[in-house]
């Protein structure tokens, strides 16, 4: 394997990330989906042409441009073209509701919106609802261009990569007001370079890109990392286990990033259909975006014969904070040490008997702040630059970090702390449980533990057997008061389970200290 040759000069903008490969890897695929592909030699010209078309449409430096779609070559190109204009991209998933799209348009003060209609019927419907017109774009085909917002006011343009916003990532909006994380070019380039270096991305790699570009994991650790490494990024609009299985077997995938639920669904599909899984070229498998369970890690590694690596991050950290190392594979579900170049501390751990504290992080990965929300920014980032993650963690003897859960998700039952991730680990170790999510529910004078689970269709699942398994592996106060079986746990496009929805469902159900479902 040839180590990637990194440019002598560090790029200042994300659209400059691929510049070193335009001549040395001119004929090699840079971006590919089921409909189109672009080589490194052609990518610069296409980005320039699309940027020119956006400029002609009225987009100015400092403007926000809303990109409504799902993963495809055209979306990736437009993110880079918006960067080329020193405007800010705000990519949102087309599967969101009309109300949410309207909220994002209003909150961002977007100059215009692009709707990626060729890949997404939902994007087409959103565009048509808002009077968008079909336009043919050079190198990427037809898109819908929304009307120009004459009231849009450009933000100041900063020359330094650390000061100029590259993208806004919306982390909320399905409930309550939108919350937009401002990520600078330096933020995204730092994490992209880190992912490239730590996973040893080289031009011969083919990366499976199903994590949405509307999510920071897909934006920095896949798109920017792939371009820095000169590798091919295969963009996939929606996760389907059979499509992933085919790609691993037939399309030369060497690097896979996914949420734990994606890996769990892949293994379940294989078992349900009796289809063996093959990944002859896969050398890196990475889990992130949600807690990884030991049962899933072991099942994946037994199936594929390679380590399922783990990591931890959050949108406000672009997102990487901790990662396991390729040359130091772990047998547990630790997220590994902090990535190089940042600082972390466990705030309050010295007061905890278990050594658990809130994880704080400081470094080039920390966001500029929340757009139009200075008070919220001040609550989240200290004057000294520490990002308060809200996640509870402990440091292992070898320096690796284990995530105990969200501080807001901590359940206090009869005076004892219950970390949902620990209960989920035990639930998921049961052979008939595909995935689980644990939340707390307030009852008079106490909290109780409620578990939601998906079960395998091929097993002979019973609640009694699961309760016996829990009793054998958990302290009594950690055992759920109620276990609810669902066909599917509610999840975001990344595969991350939406615990807020489950919290609401738990509250709506009667207190189950007396009765299990």
């Amino acid at each position: 394997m040839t180590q990637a040759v990194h440019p002598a000069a560090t790029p200042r903008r994300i659209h400059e990330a691929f510049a070193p490969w335009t001549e040395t890897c001119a004929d090699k695929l840079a971006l590919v989906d089921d409909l189109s592909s672009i080589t490194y030699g052609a990518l610069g010209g296409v980005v320039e042409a699309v940027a020119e078309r956006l400029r002609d449409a009225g987009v100015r430096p400092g403007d926000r441009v809303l990109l409504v779609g799902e993963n495809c070559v055209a979306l990736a190109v437009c993110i880079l073209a918006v960067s080329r204009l020193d405007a800010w991209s705000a990519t949102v998933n087309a599967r969101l509701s009309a109300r949410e799209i309207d909220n994002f348009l209003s909150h961002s003060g977007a100059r215009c919106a692009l709707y990626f209609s060729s890949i997404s019927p939902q994007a087409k419907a959103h565009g048509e609802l808002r009077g968008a017109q079909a336009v043919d774009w050079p190198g990427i085909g037809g898109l819908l261009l929304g009307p120009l917002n004459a009231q849009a006011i450009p933000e100041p343009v900063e020359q330094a990569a650390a000061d100029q916003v590259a993208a806004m990532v919306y982390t909320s909006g399905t409930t309550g007001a939108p919350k937009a994380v401002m990520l600078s070019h330096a933020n995204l380039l730092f994490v992209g370079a880190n992912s490239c270096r730590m996973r040893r991305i080289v031009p011969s790699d083919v990366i499976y890109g199903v994590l949405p570009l509307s999510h920071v994991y897909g934006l920095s650790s896949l798109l920017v990392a792939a371009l820095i490494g000169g590798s091919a990024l295969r963009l996939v609009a929606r996760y389907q286990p059979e499509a992933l299985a085919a790609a691993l077997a037939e399309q030369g995938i060497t690097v896979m990033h996914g949420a734990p639920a994606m890996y769990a669904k892949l293994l379940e599909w294989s078992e349900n259909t009796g289809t063996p899984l093959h990944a002859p070229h896969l050398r890196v498998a990475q889990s992130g975006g949600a807690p990884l369970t030991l049962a899933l890690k072991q099942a994946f590694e037994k199936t594929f014969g390679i380590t399922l690596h783990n990591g931890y991050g959050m949108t406000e950290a672009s997102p990487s904070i901790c990662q396991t190392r390729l040359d130091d594979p772990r047998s547990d579900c630790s997220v590994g040490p902090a990535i190089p170049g940042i600082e972390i501390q466990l705030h309050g751990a010295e007061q905890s008997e278990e050594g658990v504290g809130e994880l704080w992080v400081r470094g080039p990965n920390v966001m500029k702040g929340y757009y139009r929300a200075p008070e919220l920014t001040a609550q989240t980032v200290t004057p000294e630059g520490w990002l308060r993650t809200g996640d509870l963690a402990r440091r292992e003897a070898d320096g690796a970090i284990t995530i105990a859960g969200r501080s807001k998700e901590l359940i206090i039952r009869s005076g004892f702390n219950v970390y949902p991730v620990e209960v989920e680990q035990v639930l998921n170790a049961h052979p008939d449980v595909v995935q689980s999510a644990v939340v707390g529910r307030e009852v008079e004078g106490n909290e109780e533990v409620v578990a939601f689970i998906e079960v395998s269709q091929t097993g002979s699942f019973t609640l009694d057997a699961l309760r016996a398994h829990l009793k054998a592996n958990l302290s009594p106060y950690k055992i759920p008061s109620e276990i609810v079986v669902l066909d599917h746990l509610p999840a975001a496009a990344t595969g991350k389970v939406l615990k807020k929805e489950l919290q609401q469902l738990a509250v709506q159900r009667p207190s189950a200290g007396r009765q299990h479902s």
Side-chain angles (χ1 to χ4, degrees):
M1 182 184 296
T2 304
Q3 180 63 42
V5 179
H6 295 291
T10 302
R12 288 191 316 114
R13 302 292 191 254
I14 59 172
H15 71 273
E16 299 170 356
F18 62 88
W21 310 111
T22 56
E23 293 185 7
T24 57
C25 292
D27 296 330
K28 189 181 180 304
L29 286 180
L31 303 169
V32 58
D33 61 25
D34 287 341
L35 299 177
S36 62
S37 61
I38 300 178
T39 64
Y40 275 97
L43 185 55
V46 173
V47 169
E48 192 67 36
V50 172
E52 187 64 30
R53 185 66 60 88
L54 283 169
R55 186 184 293 113
D56 292 344
V59 176
R60 306 156 299 186
D63 276 333
R64 282 76 61 214
V65 180
L66 199 73
L67 306 176
V68 183
E70 297 179 66
N71 282 11
C72 59
V73 168
L75 176 57
V77 167
C78 287
I79 290 171
L80 299 174
V82 171
S83 165
R84 174 66 181 82
L85 296 178
D86 265 335
W88 306 8
S89 63
T91 303
V92 297
N93 197 302
R95 283 177 274 174
L96 295 173
S97 68
R99 177 189 63 83
E100 289 165 319
I101 301 298
D102 286 340
N103 284 344
F104 296 145
L105 283 166
S106 173
H107 178 267
S108 67
R111 179 68 162 168
C112 65
L114 293 179
Y115 303 88
F116 294 78
S117 50
S118 63
I119 200 78
S120 170
Q122 287 87 350
K124 184 174 186 287
H126 281 306
E128 290 174 345
L129 180 66
R130 294 165 182 80
Q133 300 297 312
V135 178
D136 190 55
W137 296 77
I140 57 174
L143 302 177
L144 297 180
L145 174 63
L148 198 68
N149 177 9
Q151 280 71 50
I153 301 173
E155 295 290 341
V157 174
E158 309 289 347
Q159 293 305 308
D163 296 329
Q164 176 65 16
V165 173
M168 290 199 303
V169 178
Y170 280 96
T171 63
S172 179
T174 53
T175 57
K179 184 171 67 171
V181 176
M182 295 184 291
L183 299 175
S184 70
H185 288 273
N187 288 152
L188 298 178
L189 289 166
F190 173 80
V191 168
N194 172 79
S195 182
C196 185
R197 180 175 56 250
M198 293 192 67
R199 297 313 177 221
R200 299 170 188 166
I201 304 301
V202 293
S204 58
D205 277 317
V206 181
I207 302 173
Y208 195 71
V210 70
L211 290 171
L213 297 181
S214 56
H215 187 273
V216 67
Y217 191 171
L219 178 59
S220 63
S221 296
L222 272 70
L223 177 60
V224 176
L227 296 177
I228 290 175
S231 61
L233 179 61
R234 176 167 285 278
L235 290 155
V236 181
R238 297 192 179 193
Y239 174 76
Q240 294 177 314
E242 60 270 28
L244 173 55
L248 291 172
E250 303 164 8
Q251 295 176 351
I253 303 299
T254 62
V255 178
M256 169 70 192
H257 290 261
M262 294 180 180
Y263 295 115
K265 298 286 190 183
L266 177 65
L267 297 175
E268 181 192 25
W269 172 84
S270 172
E271 182 180 350
N272 289 349
T273 61
T275 307
L277 293 170
H278 302 290
H281 303 283
L282 189 66
R283 65 173 188 84
V284 176
Q286 174 75 42
S287 178
L292 175 65
T293 64
L294 188 58
L296 176 58
K297 176 178 167 65
Q298 291 173 341
F300 178 94
E301 293 174 353
K302 181 180 178 181
T303 300
F304 290 100
I306 65 171
T307 301
L308 179 55
H309 284 278
N310 201 9
Y312 160 77
M314 64 185 301
T315 302
E316 289 85 345
S318 308
S320 299
I321 297 174
C322 297
Q323 281 184 324
T324 57
R325 304 319 201 231
L326 290 185
D327 54 2
D328 188 20
R330 303 189 66 88
S331 58
D332 60 14
C333 287
S334 160
V335 295
I339 64 172
I342 69 168
E343 302 172 77
I344 62 171
Q345 62 169 289
L346 299 183
H347 191 70
E350 59 278 2
Q351 280 87 45
S352 166
E353 291 183 7
E354 301 156 303
V356 172
E358 183 186 2
L359 198 155
W360 289 16
V361 58
R362 181 166 65 180
N365 54 338
V366 173
M367 66 173 181
K368 278 181 65 70
Y370 297 109
Y371 189 52
R372 295 179 172 173
E375 291 183 2
L376 181 59
T377 301
Q379 293 168 15
T380 308
V381 182
T382 73
E384 296 76 31
W386 288 102
L387 170 66
R388 298 165 166 159
T389 68
D391 287 321
L392 300 172
R394 65 177 181 273
R395 197 186 305 268
E396 306 296 345
D398 62 0
I401 298 296
T402 294
I403 303 299
R406 295 284 300 169
S407 59
K408 292 180 181 178
E409 291 177 0
L410 176 66
I411 303 166
I412 302 177
R413 187 178 189 184
S414 302
F416 294 98
N417 290 349
V418 179
Y419 300 104
V421 67
E422 180 185 4
V423 183
E424 290 161 359
Q425 293 268 5
V426 174
L427 284 164
N428 291 350
H430 188 279
D432 292 329
V433 175
V434 175
Q435 63 173 338
S436 66
V438 170
V439 299
R441 175 171 55 200
E442 290 188 10
V443 294
E444 188 174 353
N446 207 346
E447 271 190 290
E448 58 186 6
V449 181
V450 181
F452 294 88
I453 62 172
E454 280 183 43
V455 300
S456 172
Q457 301 302 309
T458 59
S460 54
F461 171 79
T462 67
L463 278 171
D464 286 342
L466 180 58
R467 291 192 193 102
H469 167 76
L470 293 171
K471 187 176 180 180
N473 290 280
L474 287 173
S475 300
Y477 68 89
K478 297 178 183 178
I479 295 175
S481 301
E482 182 179 21
I483 301 170
V484 184
V485 180
L486 298 178
D487 290 338
H488 300 286
L489 299 186
T494 59
K496 184 176 183 178
V497 174
L498 299 173
K499 282 200 170 181
K500 284 185 179 179
E501 292 189 15
L502 293 177
Q503 195 95 46
Q504 293 168 358
L505 182 57
V507 171
Q508 291 165 5
R509 298 174 66 86
S511 175
R514 302 171 300 279
Q515 179 182 352
H516 295 272
S517 302

